[in-house]
Amino acid sequence: MQPLFAIVLAKLLLKETLPRRFGGLFFIALAGTYLLTFGFTLPLGNWDNWIHAGSLLSLGAAALWGGSTVMGRLMLGQARYEMVTSLRFVVALPLLIFMTWNEGAAWTFPSGTGEQTAVILNILGQALLPGLLSLLLYYKGLSSTKASVATLAELSFPMAGVLVNWIAFRTLITWEQLLGFILIWVALFAISRQQERSSTAADAAPKLRTD
């Protein structure tokens, strides 16, 4: 659902036009993501399972994530990607501290110096590498990419998770996941080729007018 929200918002707010054959490539990538996550099985036993708080919260999260892609692209028209990344951290940090403080969960911290150092390094590593560095790369790419195309590329997140599980935890990849992996890469490769052709044509147009 997240890509659908992002595509609609990109059309309304950014006035983006979709690349040629985008609809077909979108459904190919969506099918690949489904195969990576669920295989050929249905995630729900019956229709009644859709109507509960968890499903509604998931739809809300998809709308917010899709909206964040579009709003990020909108902000990148006014500010550099480093500034957008900094604002995301600075604005979110006070809210996260407030939520954690009021959660009421018991805090358990190791007593040994070595254990404390390991925990601190782990937290810093997660904040700097998958947090700060990944967001910098994300907004750097988004600054030169349409939001509707970026949301399609975000479907590769499950694919990256499958690869990490295979490399780090030796989790076997099923043939359904392999098929989903191939479908996603085919869609992303085709979109990337279209983007390259569009940029080449845009660069060549001024030269032709000058000649």
Side-chain angles (χ1 to χ4, degrees), residues 75-159:
M75 290 182 64
L76 286 168
Q78 309 295 328
R80 292 177 57 83
Y81 70 94
E82 299 95 338
M83 177 63 70
V84 176
T85 305
S86 302
L87 287 174
R88 183 162 178 172
F89 268 86
V90 170
V91 173
L93 191 58
L95 178 61
L96 292 174
I97 292 175
F98 175 78
M99 292 174 61
T100 303
W101 187 267
N102 289 275
E103 187 179 10
W107 287 45
T108 57
F109 204 69
S111 56
T113 304
E115 291 83 356
Q116 291 180 358
T117 304
V119 169
I120 293 173
L121 290 176
N122 188 9
I123 293 174
L124 287 175
Q126 291 187 54
L128 295 177
L129 294 178
L132 179 60
L133 180 60
S134 64
L135 279 178
L136 279 171
L137 294 175
Y138 173 78
Y139 283 119
K140 172 64 174 176
L142 187 60
S143 63
S144 58
T145 307
K146 290 183 176 181
S148 52
V149 175
T151 193
L152 181 64
E154 288 171 11
L155 293 178
S156 62
F157 288 167
M159 180 174 62

Side-chain angles (χ1 to χ4, degrees), residues 6-19 70 73-74 146-148:
I7 291 170
V8 171
L9 288 173
K11 182 69 174 178
L12 294 176
L13 299 179
L14 303 175
K15 310 301 181 185
E16 289 187 356
T17 56
L18 298 179
V70 176
R73 185 67 184 89
L74 186 63
K146 290 183 176 181
S148 52

Side-chain angles (χ1 to χ4, degrees), residues 160-182:
V162 169
L163 285 176
V164 170
N165 281 335
W166 176 52
I167 296 172
F169 304 108
R170 304 299 179 186
T171 302
L172 292 178
I173 298 178
T174 65
W175 70 273
E176 294 98 333
Q177 290 175 326
L178 182 60
L179 178 59
F181 185 96
I182 294 171

